Amino acid sequence: MTLYRAPEPGTVDASNLALVFDLDGVIVDVTKSYRQGYVDSISYFLGELGLAPESSRGLFSLEDVHLLKTHRDFNAPHTMLDFLVRMALRAVALNPGLRLNPENSGIGDWIREGLQDGRLDHWKSAIQQGLSSEQIAWVESKADRDHALELCHECYVGSDAVASVYGHKPSLKVSGLCGQDQLIMSSTRPAPACPLGVYTGRVYGEASFLIQRFEFFREVKDEHICTIDRGYKKPECSALEKLYDDLGAREMLYIGDVPADRAAALSFRRQNPEKRLWLAQVLATPETAYWSEAEFVASEPESVLDSLGI
């Protein structure tokens, strides 16, 4: 555990502090579980359209998903799946045989170039470039993002649990990738005395399913779990405003790891200059660039908590 940056002791009033956590990349590493679900769900999605699932292998890689997660617009699963579905269908439209592999699909290059040239900022129109009007119409007719998201849910928690966690019937027969989650924060760390909240791009059932694995979050109230299906979408700061008011502390610390977390915190500060919000950045890798606005920078959240005596 490494704390790379922290304020001078006593700067943060830990006796009157509320804590708000992002989940993925902060308390759990989902790079080989939930993110793999994005890749796998596209294979199943294309298979249901009449293509053999294995034919889509190579269209996307985990590295492609990791790159997309560095863009603030792709924090939410529904946005990620909307993009991946449309990119996959674009590949089908351009090459109906779909004889593609990691070396020649071109999608990874498209994503990398899109991060550089800004096309990901308007990706829906950018995806249509190079397609005929007939091809665009075909892509739009098949782009069922909601079903792809259901498949992704099932890939993550497994067919046996998908109904209880997400509320929809299983379509597959899979055991679930959640067993490959890597915990960043100890599951046995005791619950703190200070008030807690969660602000995540996940849906409520999934967030609740995850935090139940941690003793630390045992006292989190249901109404303080802010998720995308409850109307809270990063990088908007409405969830942080709600939690600041509801949790009742004079100061609040938000712990996140991706650009959307940083953007939400900065938006809160701009709109609420009279309120004290501290920001902690959990690094994806030691080489990740530090956020200049973050008072805390650490390899994981527990070193931040330890520095505050929490």
Side-chain angles (χ1 to χ4, degrees):
M1 300 194 301
T2 305
L3 185 66
Y4 298 100
R5 179 195 295 164
E8 290 294 324
T11 304
V12 179
D13 183 3
S15 67
N16 205 331
L17 182 70
L19 299 175
V20 177
F21 283 75
D22 178 38
L23 298 181
D24 296 348
V26 174
I27 69 169
V28 64
D29 180 354
V30 295
T31 53
K32 295 181 180 179
S33 54
Y34 197 92
R35 293 187 184 182
Q36 183 62 45
Y38 289 133
V39 178
D40 292 351
S41 63
I42 297 300
S43 295
Y44 291 120
F45 179 84
L46 293 178
E48 290 182 355
L49 290 179
L51 300 166
E54 61 270 20
S55 67
S56 63
R57 300 298 181 187
L59 275 178
F60 302 102
S61 67
L62 275 177
E63 178 60 27
D64 296 334
V65 174
H66 299 338
L67 286 172
L68 286 168
K69 288 288 286 184
T70 67
H71 191 284
R72 58 185 288 176
D73 290 347
F74 293 97
N75 185 68
H78 73 277
T79 307
M80 178 72 78
L81 265 299
D82 201 7
F83 174 84
L84 295 179
V85 163
R86 291 171 186 273
M87 280 299 290
L89 292 172
R90 180 179 189 273
V92 176
L94 291 173
N95 183 356
L98 201 62
R99 295 183 179 89
L100 305 173
N101 59 50
E103 286 70 38
N104 68 15
S105 73
I107 291 178
D109 291 338
W110 195 101
I111 293 170
R112 283 185 286 273
E113 292 167 4
L115 287 169
Q116 296 296 321
D117 63 23
R119 79 180 76 164
L120 282 176
D121 295 335
H122 48 88
W123 58 268
K124 284 190 177 180
S125 59
I127 283 176
Q128 294 180 353
Q129 293 177 9
L131 298 180
S132 67
S133 58
E134 291 79 10
Q135 289 171 326
I136 291 173
W138 182 83
V139 168
E140 291 299 315
S141 71
K142 302 294 185 182
D144 187 351
R145 176 200 69 189
D146 292 339
H147 182 56
L149 183 57
E150 289 180 352
L151 293 173
C152 183
H153 290 163
E154 191 170 349
C155 287
Y156 178 61
V157 301
S159 302
D160 291 341
V162 70
S164 61
V165 176
Y166 295 102
H168 58 77
K169 295 180 179 180
S171 300
L172 310 170
K173 293 182 179 180
V174 293
S175 58
L177 295 162
C178 60
Q180 298 180 40
D181 285 347
Q182 299 294 314
L183 301 188
I184 299 173
M185 186 173 175
S186 170
S187 63
T188 59
R189 188 181 183 99
C194 58
L196 283 177
V198 169
Y199 184 21
T200 175
R202 294 199 186 209
V203 296
Y204 169 75
E206 193 174 78
S208 179
F209 172 78
L210 174 59
I211 65 174
Q212 287 174 12
R213 297 154 70 180
F214 294 85
E215 177 66 18
F216 188 83
F217 293 95
R218 178 171 49 83
E219 301 298 332
V220 175
K221 295 182 179 179
D222 181 84
E223 62 266 28
H224 296 154
I225 303 173
C226 296
T227 58
I228 192 165
D229 57 330
R230 290 182 160 186
Y232 301 104
K233 180 181 178 182
K234 297 178 184 179
E236 297 171 4
C237 68
S238 57
L240 296 179
E241 292 174 330
K242 167 188 166 56
L243 291 170
Y244 190 100
D245 293 338
D246 286 1
L247 295 176
R250 286 198 300 266
E251 301 181 7
M252 189 165 78
L253 172 63
Y254 181 40
I255 306 177
D257 71 311
V258 295
D261 298 323
R262 172 180 174 270
L266 298 185
S267 177
F268 178 95
R269 288 175 175 176
R270 285 192 301 270
Q271 297 182 41
N272 304 274
E274 76 285 0
K275 297 178 179 179
R276 170 62 78 179
L277 177 68
W278 304 97
L279 178 61
Q281 177 191 12
V282 174
L283 301 180
T285 69
E287 294 76 31
T288 302
Y290 296 2
W291 299 336
S292 60
E293 306 87 355
E295 289 80 19
F296 297 87
V297 178
S299 60
E300 32 55 50
E302 291 189 89
S303 56
V304 175
L305 300 176
D306 290 343
S307 74
L308 295 169
I310 297 175

